[in-house]
Amino acid sequence: MTFSHDALIFSPGDVDLSRSPLAGKVDAETYVLGAFNPGMTRLPGGNLLLMVRVAEALKTPIHDQHIHAIRWTEHSYALDAWPLEYVDTADPRKFMMRGGGWKVMALTSLSWLLPVELNADGTKVEQVHYDKAIAPQAPYQCYGVEDARISKVGDRYLMTTCSVSPERHSTTLYSSADALDWKLEGIVLDHQNKDMLIFEGLIGGKYYAQTRPLGDLYFAYPPGSEWRSGPSINLASSPDALHWKPYDKPGIRPHAKTMATARMGGGAPPILTDEGWLTLWHGVEPMGVVGVYRTYWSVLDRDDPSVVLRTCHDPLIEANPALTEPIKDLMYLDNVVFTTGIADAGDHYVVASGEADLGCRITHIAKSTFA
């Protein structure tokens, strides 16, 4: 598919680490591993805001026969050292603990969120708000704050993030009146329930959200079923956006006839159209290190979002190597596009995605695409 505009708008070279929340607080040299997976919303003045995930990594994580991880503490940041004989260091972004009977990992980077203001159609950076950056501020975020998704419900902006710690890998909520000054509301979904996208509007007087719980065990559908067991997009409702009850019916599930969406999760927060709720989501085809990530779309019933009115089984957005060619020396993954935001722009939508876990991509998609 071709687009009227499709380009990287922000990447690691655009981050000034001298203004990072970690600057002067980590006793080691760091670099930007990725500036990606941006939540997006429209500011009250009309410009767009990206909430960019900055993965700030140790330049030399392994030395003195130890591998190191950055950890937030109440007073500063610490470097934890793990003896190499206790870990698997095959992936430079993380390391796995040996033994224990289940997967335990740590990161060689720590993520924080950087607000980047764009012009109204997302084609130009207007201002980078380092003074509004969001860094860990609670023990359940000690390994970082990741992958923001921003929804505007009424006059209130709501932002979900993944917070990482040994305690749990949880979903946390921030709220704001202007999308620049944010208040941490706390944990709203427990361990490994992530990709939480709040619908941009109430349904029956309640907040609704897409969620994506993860686990190591799934039960099989009967032989001949149209569905494939595995990670899927679930639903939850809330009276106040803080207390969430899982919805009794399933949401969007993987289809048995294709491996392209064998694993799936939410992308951009659902927005209301004349036909119903338009939702952009990611499907992952098992392949290589992390799989092939593509963006797909569905339309959900406006009154019962468990009812899928239409799904397009052809990908809407795929990874585009031409976009990352100028920064190919920084790449460590390929075949990944991870859509995280959508904004109305008249006859088209502005869509924000993370490209290759490296940079922020802006795509203009005609509304006629979804007709």
Side-chain angles (χ1 to χ4, degrees):
M1 181 176 289
T2 58
F3 307 105
S4 61
H5 178 83
D6 191 26
L8 292 189
I9 189 68
F10 202 79
S11 59
D14 298 313
V15 180
D16 180 359
L17 282 186
S18 71
R19 304 179 70 182
S20 159
L22 280 63
K25 300 176 184 177
V26 177
D27 189 22
E29 190 175 1
T30 62
Y31 74 103
V32 179
L33 177 67
F36 61 111
N37 292 3
M40 184 174 72
T41 192
R42 195 168 292 283
L43 294 167
N47 280 350
L48 292 172
L49 182 86
L50 297 184
M51 189 63 81
V52 178
R53 173 183 172 184
V54 177
E56 187 167 345
L58 295 170
K59 185 162 282 189
T60 309
I62 298 176
H63 58 84
D64 299 330
Q65 296 302 305
H66 287 74
I67 189 167
H68 298 77
I70 307 172
R71 177 173 51 86
W72 172 90
T73 71
E74 187 176 351
H75 304 291
S76 189
Y77 291 87
L79 289 178
D80 297 328
W82 296 86
L84 289 177
E85 64 263 29
Y86 296 153
V87 301
D88 179 351
T89 60
D91 187 330
R93 300 168 299 153
K94 63 185 182 182
F95 52 96
M96 307 297 296
M97 308 300 170
R98 300 187 191 277
W102 47 82
K103 293 180 180 178
V104 178
M105 64 176 282
L107 302 172
T108 56
S109 65
L110 184 144
S111 290
W112 48 277
L113 303 179
L114 178 61
V116 176
E117 186 174 342
L118 309 181
N119 62 356
D121 64 0
T123 58
K124 178 185 176 185
V125 174
E126 296 287 357
Q127 188 175 355
V128 182
H129 297 274
Y130 286 95
D131 58 324
K132 306 292 186 182
I134 293 177
Q137 55 182 292
Y140 53 79
Q141 300 178 315
C142 68
Y143 286 153
V145 186
E146 304 176 350
D147 297 352
R149 307 304 217 289
I150 305 175
S151 304
K152 188 180 182 186
V153 186
D155 294 328
R156 187 183 183 201
Y157 292 91
L158 300 171
M159 180 170 69
T160 62
T161 66
C162 291
S163 291
V164 187
S165 78
E167 297 174 3
R168 61 187 101 185
H169 189 188
S170 61
T171 294
T172 39
L173 180 72
Y174 294 78
S175 66
S176 176
D178 61 6
L180 284 172
D181 295 293
W182 294 91
K183 174 187 176 185
L184 176 61
E185 301 287 356
I187 295 174
V188 289
L189 293 181
D190 214 326
H191 185 59
Q192 288 202 323
N193 197 349
K194 50 187 294 191
D195 287 336
M196 183 186 191
L197 318 174
I198 296 175
F199 285 63
E200 290 209 321
L202 303 181
I203 303 175
K206 294 181 179 180
Y207 294 88
Y208 270 74
Q210 293 176 323
T211 67
R212 207 284 304 280
L214 281 179
D216 291 328
L217 175 66
Y218 297 89
F219 286 92
Y221 282 102
S225 171
E226 65 178 304
W227 309 115
R228 180 185 302 277
S229 298
S232 60
I233 300 171
N234 290 1
L235 295 163
S237 64
S238 171
D240 55 8
L242 294 173
H243 304 87
W244 293 89
K245 179 187 181 301
Y247 201 56
D248 291 346
K249 301 175 186 177
I252 303 174
R253 292 175 281 175
H255 283 263
K257 292 183 179 180
T258 178
M259 286 297 292
T261 56
R263 170 176 167 171
M264 56 172 49
I271 59 172
L272 190 60
T273 69
D274 291 341
E275 189 177 355
W277 295 99
L278 174 63
T279 175
L280 309 187
W281 48 273
H282 66 265
V284 185
E285 181 177 3
M287 190 183 301
V289 177
V290 299
V292 178
Y293 280 70
R294 305 178 179 96
T295 299
Y296 298 83
W297 63 272
S298 299
V299 176
L300 313 178
D301 185 84
R302 64 170 56 235
D303 299 316
D304 182 356
S306 71
V307 177
V308 181
L309 301 177
R310 284 196 297 131
T311 289
C312 183
H313 296 285
D314 295 323
L316 177 68
I317 306 175
E318 298 183 84
N320 184 350
L323 299 182
T324 51
E325 176 66 21
I327 53 173
K328 63 182 181 181
D329 57 315
L330 303 178
M331 291 188 67
Y332 53 94
L333 286 177
D334 57 12
N335 288 319
V336 172
V337 62
F338 193 81
T339 293
T340 46
I342 186 170
D344 195 321
D347 63 350
H348 66 278
Y349 293 111
V350 179
V351 174
S353 306
E355 184 77 6
D357 277 11
L358 188 64
C360 298
R361 175 178 176 180
I362 294 293
T363 308
H364 290 182
I365 302 179
K367 288 185 176 179
S368 59
T369 302
F370 308 104

